[in-house]
Structures are given as structure tokens and as C-alpha cells.
Amino acid sequence: MKKVLVAFFSQTGNTEKVARAICDALECEKEIRRIDETLPVEGYELIFCGFPVQAHSVPAQVVLYLKKLPKDQKVAFFTTHGSLRGGSLPRQALEDAMGLTKHAKIVSTFTCRGRVKEEVIAALGKKPQHEAWVEEAHSAHEHPTTADLEDAAAFALEACRKARI
């Protein structure tokens, strides 16, 4: 039986909600774990790896995890962020994650908006270069929505299809 792991790092609960929607949609043997609870990582046909976009990139805890993935491991990335969906900042974070896993086989990616901590918005709001992002982040306060979680479930099924699970 093919096993799938949904591994995630979450600080506000956004990424965890998406991870649970992904796991619930899977129709195979599956496990869900926080990134700091996921060793060993061998023995999974596919690993879904989720994280919040931080400073346009991958959080340090996730970087360490990605470096431990086995060669040729099939991976599907998902992120949560305060930016508009399809924007350059979440795309940059996914590109960074893919660069860290050149030895893996990236099956698919998914991004989802999520509520941003008010203290983060307030701190970045003091800098004029972040003005546009602050507006985007304020508009993400209701996310992830039911529709976002349905999209995450559809992503999970499509990633499994691509990975032939």
C-alpha cells in the first residue's frame, strides 16, 4: 500500500487548516504531522509539505526539513500567505522551496491566502515599501475560507493523480 505524508509548519493555524483539508481528501494510507514531528521521512510515496510564506521565502524550520528529504522523493508543496493568490511573493517562496529540493521530484504546488498576525502587519506597515502588501494582508483576514479548503482538497487529489497514487 502506498503511504502519503502531509507535513506542515504552522504558526497562526492557517497552514494547519489547509493541511487537514488535504489529508481529509486523500483516499490512501496517510499520516499528518507537524514538520518537527516528521522524522524519519523515508517510506512515503508522496509528501505534501506546507508552510507559511515568511519574508517572501521558506521558514528556517522548513528549510532544515527539506534538506533531509530523500533523493527522488515525490513532493507537493502548499503555502499560506497574506498576499493575493497567484502573486509574486508566494511564487518566490515556492521557487525557493523547489531550489532547496533539487534532488526531489516536485509533483505539484498550491497557494492559499491566510490571516496574517496583526503585529506583523503593523511592523511592516511602518515601511513605505510594504504599503501595497499591507493592504493585501488586511484583505486576507477571512482566509482560508471554505472555498480555499475545497481548492486544497482538489489539489490533493490532483497531486496524487500526478504521482500515480
Side-chain angles (χ1 to χ4, degrees):
M1 181 110 188
K2 296 180 178 183
K3 287 177 32 179
V4 174
L5 174 64
V6 181
F8 68 93
F9 173 69
S10 187
Q11 292 181 308
T12 62
N14 297 325
T15 309
E16 182 172 2
K17 285 179 188 175
V18 174
R20 293 198 181 284
I22 288 168
C23 190
D24 289 347
L26 297 175
E27 300 168 347
C28 58
E29 186 178 342
K30 59 193 173 186
E31 292 182 54
I32 184 169
R33 293 191 182 156
R34 293 185 175 279
I35 289 231
D36 59 354
E37 302 171 348
T38 57
L39 294 175
V41 293
E42 290 82 14
Y44 295 98
E45 183 71 20
L46 174 62
I47 296 176
F48 287 89
C49 181
F51 57 90
V53 174
Q54 294 180 342
H56 322 307
S57 193
V58 182
Q61 298 90 326
V62 180
V63 169
L64 295 173
Y65 178 76
L66 295 178
K67 289 181 177 181
K68 295 177 184 175
L69 291 177
K71 186 176 191 283
D72 296 327
Q73 174 65 58
K74 293 177 186 171
V75 179
F77 287 113
F78 62 99
T79 67
T80 57
H81 52 85
S83 300
L84 294 176
R85 199 164 180 186
S88 64
L89 301 180
R91 190 170 45 251
Q92 181 180 340
L94 285 171
E95 288 171 5
D96 290 348
M98 288 186 251
L100 292 165
T101 55
K102 289 180 184 174
H103 59 284
K105 294 181 180 179
I106 309 306
V107 173
S108 193
T109 63
F110 175 76
T111 70
C112 177
R113 297 188 78 200
R115 179 183 51 82
V116 179
K117 291 180 180 180
E118 276 304 315
E119 57 267 23
V120 172
I121 293 172
L124 290 175
K126 295 175 184 174
K127 300 176 181 178
Q129 67 268 32
H130 297 299
E131 189 175 299
W133 179 84
V134 167
E135 280 187 42
E136 289 178 15
H138 275 298
S139 71
H141 73 280
E142 297 289 327
H143 292 268
T145 63
T146 301
D148 293 329
L149 299 178
E150 289 170 356
D151 288 348
F155 154 74
L157 296 175
E158 180 63 15
C160 284
R161 187 191 65 72
K162 287 180 178 178
R164 295 191 171 101
I165 294 178

